[in-house]
Amino acid sequence: MKAAVVNAFGGGFAVEDIEIDEPRGREVLVDIKASGLCHSDLHFSVSNFGMEPPMVLGHEIAGVVAAIGPDVTEFSVGDHVVGSLVQFCGACQACLSGDTVRCAHPEATLRAPGEPPRLSRGGEPVLAAMGTAGFAEQALVHENQLVGIDHAVPFAEASVLGCGTITGAGAAINSAGVRPGQTVAVIGLGGVGLNVVSGARLAGAARVIGIDLNDEKLELARAFGATDVVNGRNVDAVAAVQELTGGGVDHAFEVIGRQETAMQAIAMLGVGGTASLIGIHGADSKIELDPNDFLRWQKKVQGVYMGHANIKRDIPFYASLFLQGRLNLTDLVSAEIALGDIDEAYEQLRTGRTARSVITRF
Ligand code: NAD
Ligand code: ZN
């Protein structure tokens, strides 16, 4: 099958013919119909985050079940599915409490050492990164990482549910617990940040302030429910938010992964406000905290992993909101591209012009 392989960090994505094994145990063979280009895969392709080449990245997938392993109970051939990088065993204390993003044994979803690899090239293993390896014609995915989806949801929109939506909307709804009437600022309005805007609106926020450096993104944010927008290129974002809210927001979300914007998120909080950090930072990034700022002004800061999602609960929920016209997924899909266009599409993402490019031609 065709797959976009990362052969070296920073070397881009090369479309090659590689081999995919038969499904074993609880694995599902998925014909990929749509695969979103999250910014995280760009990070993972240029530096070592614990995954090493040769590897197939891609973790925002939607497709059709082509075959199932002998122990699969949840899916049948022909089902439409969405996949996520959240790996959980389903049996540990965290999983049993519903906190599947805190699973103690995520490796339970992968093949054991000594078993043949899921992906290979000329007899040599190729890493099926995150257990999804979605930049390919097909993927072998443990059934815990898949969720059945209504056939009415188009594949491109469905794919974004697998990361952008559960992370962004989940950050507002699950992690931050935004309440009706609160004020929210979102710094970075890409595929994830726009979903934070959606989540804040769904949670009933009175004001949702979108901040980006790109005017097109600010316009787009309004289509997701932003009530105010600020271009951080022209004005001091912290001062602008303080002025708009008369002292600072209840919740600020950093959705880029930069020291400067993470510190802005903390600085723009009002008394008792919470900063939620979502963007992935480079290894040398550090943020400075003033302890007195936290004492006197009772600020809080938290990291957000995958929107504290429970994918089996949250993905069907967001899909139903989309079908009811209450969650905008359509405007997230900036372009439908071919498997061979990944490098070019990531170059556009770096400039901040696109929300999500989605591979729909393999
Ligand atoms: P993206 O590239 O689509 O969006 C980033 C946005 O930030 C762009 O719109 C860009 O114009 C804007 N931006 C850049 N610099 C800015 C600045 N100084 N001020 C204001 N805006 C600025 O990326 P994405 O796919 O939405 O992902 C966002 C981040 O979240 C990435 O770091 C990604 O790796 C990370 N992520 C984290 C999790 C998690 O579980 N924590 C999950 C998914 C993605
Ligand atoms: Zn992602």
Side-chain angles (χ1 to χ4, degrees):
M1 68 155 183
K2 273 191 283 172
V5 182
V6 174
N7 287 304
F9 288 122
F13 296 81
V15 176
E16 298 179 18
D17 266 315
I18 66 168
E19 290 82 51
I20 187 163
D21 201 15
E22 303 286 314
R24 295 178 162 223
R26 296 179 66 196
E27 289 173 350
V28 175
L29 180 68
V30 180
D31 280 335
I32 307 284
K33 299 292 182 192
S35 191
L37 268 61
C38 177
H39 203 121
S40 300
D41 289 311
L42 179 57
H43 293 308
F44 303 153
S45 73
V46 295
S47 345
N48 194 335
F49 283 83
M51 296 171 274
E52 292 184 35
M55 59 184 170
V56 177
L57 295 169
H59 63 269
E60 244 181 25
I61 58 174
V64 179
V65 174
I68 56 171
D71 303 327
V72 169
T73 56
E74 205 180 325
F75 300 102
S76 308
V77 171
D79 285 353
H80 289 199
V81 289
V82 168
S84 161
L85 63 73
V86 178
Q87 299 172 325
F88 65 93
C89 70
C92 70
Q93 197 67 35
C95 285
L96 293 175
S97 313
D99 281 332
T100 47
V101 285
R102 296 180 180 165
C103 174
H105 295 292
E107 75 286 353
T109 58
L110 300 175
R111 289 193 177 179
E115 283 191 280
R118 286 177 179 168
L119 302 179
S120 58
R121 184 176 57 183
E124 291 301 316
V126 172
L127 177 68
M130 296 161 281
T132 47
F135 294 158
E137 285 180 289
Q138 291 189 312
L140 271 179
V141 187
H142 191 283
E143 63 178 329
N144 283 4
Q145 286 186 255
L146 293 171
V147 179
I149 186 114
D150 195 312
H151 288 220
V153 184
F155 289 114
E157 279 85 345
S159 69
V160 187
L161 291 170
C163 177
T165 301
I166 57 168
T167 300
I173 296 169
N174 303 329
S175 315
V178 172
R179 292 197 314 277
Q182 289 192 312
T183 52
V184 170
V186 184
I187 315 174
L189 301 168
V192 181
L194 290 168
N195 277 293
V196 179
V197 173
S198 288
R201 197 203 53 194
L202 285 166
R207 274 185 113 160
V208 184
I209 306 166
I211 303 156
D212 205 286
L213 304 179
N214 195 307
D215 283 333
E216 290 152 45
K217 287 294 182 53
L218 300 177
E219 272 317 300
L220 200 52
R222 290 194 187 275
F224 287 78
T227 56
D228 304 84
V229 294
V230 171
N231 190 327
R233 203 182 286 286
N234 310 330
V235 297
D236 174 356
V238 174
V241 167
Q242 282 169 339
E243 196 182 321
L244 281 166
T245 53
V249 280
D250 297 307
H251 294 278
F253 296 85
E254 199 276 358
V255 208
I256 306 158
R258 291 172 53 91
Q259 177 197 49
E260 174 201 341
T261 42
M263 289 173 71
Q264 283 177 351
I266 297 166
M268 65 178 60
L269 296 174
V271 181
T274 302
S276 296
L277 306 184
I278 303 173
I280 295 181
H281 290 244
D284 51 356
S285 175
K286 297 276 180 289
I287 54 172
E288 265 178 45
L289 304 175
D290 172 356
N292 290 331
D293 202 23
F294 286 81
L295 307 182
R296 173 64 186 91
W297 305 112
Q298 304 154 58
K299 294 181 179 182
K300 295 178 276 299
V301 59
Q302 63 175 355
V304 173
Y305 179 65
M306 298 305 293
H308 208 127
N310 179 327
I311 63 168
K312 303 277 186 186
R313 174 196 67 195
D314 293 356
I315 290 178
F317 167 56
Y318 295 127
S320 70
L321 291 181
F322 166 73
L323 291 172
Q324 293 165 23
R326 295 165 65 198
L327 177 69
N328 188 351
L329 298 179
T330 310
D331 294 324
L332 287 173
V333 182
S334 319
E336 297 197 21
I337 64 168
L339 185 62
D341 300 336
I342 298 179
D343 287 328
E344 195 187 323
Y346 270 136
E347 201 43 53
Q348 284 176 14
L349 190 77
R350 270 189 231 268
T351 67
R353 286 204 306 276
T354 46
R356 270 289 187 274
S357 299
V358 179
I359 303 162
T360 51
R361 299 191 299 281
F362 291 87

